[in-house]
Amino acid sequence: AGLANNIFAELAAVLMYSVCLAAFGMFLRRLLGSIRAIGVAIPLLVVGMLLICPVFFDLGAMRAAQFLLPPTYYINGVYNPAYLGYGLCYSLICLLLYRFLGVLKADDRG
């Protein structure tokens, strides 16, 4: 299709995407708490990511919501290196939220 880019840009985007997904998954695990809630959330997240993230088309009104989901950083990171840094910042925020929720839950227990 003529959309191929530099292999190193693609590798960097895939590595950043892996970090984003791991951080997002950790945050969701802490937020939802149970395997049952995660099982319900996963299909909803997949559908939401397919609808919101700019894979096939760009929804101007949904642009803010796109930045809440990891695929946005990967898709844009292949073509714009700035999104690699944004993706790492996104990962850091997810990890901070993960830690914050852990502290809150620990305070609730005792």
Side-chain angles (χ1 to χ4, degrees):
L3 297 176
N5 204 1
N6 182 344
I7 187 70
F8 297 110
E10 184 72 33
L11 286 173
V14 166
L15 288 172
M16 181 271 310
Y17 185 52
S18 299
V19 172
C20 281
L21 285 176
F24 184 68
M26 289 173 65
F27 166 66
L28 279 181
R29 182 177 65 97
R30 186 67 56 90
L31 180 68
L32 299 176
S34 73
I35 193 73
R36 180 170 285 153
I38 292 170
V40 169
I42 287 175
L44 297 174
L45 282 169
V46 169
V47 170
M49 286 182 193
L50 286 172
L51 293 175
I52 294 173
C53 292
V55 176
F56 300 110
F57 45 85
D58 189 13
L59 301 172
M62 300 296 282
R63 185 167 292 277
Q66 290 174 346
F67 291 105
L68 297 175
L69 302 169
T72 299
Y73 301 99
Y74 168 72
I75 293 165
N76 291 311
V78 172
Y79 301 104
N80 185 349
Y83 278 89
L84 299 176
Y86 300 153
L88 294 176
C89 290
Y90 171 85
S91 300
L92 180 63
I93 290 168
C94 284
L95 291 173
L96 290 172
L97 289 171
Y98 167 80
R99 180 70 179 132
F100 178 71
L101 288 174
V103 169
L104 285 180
K105 288 185 179 191
D107 286 345
D108 288 344
R109 286 187 225 139

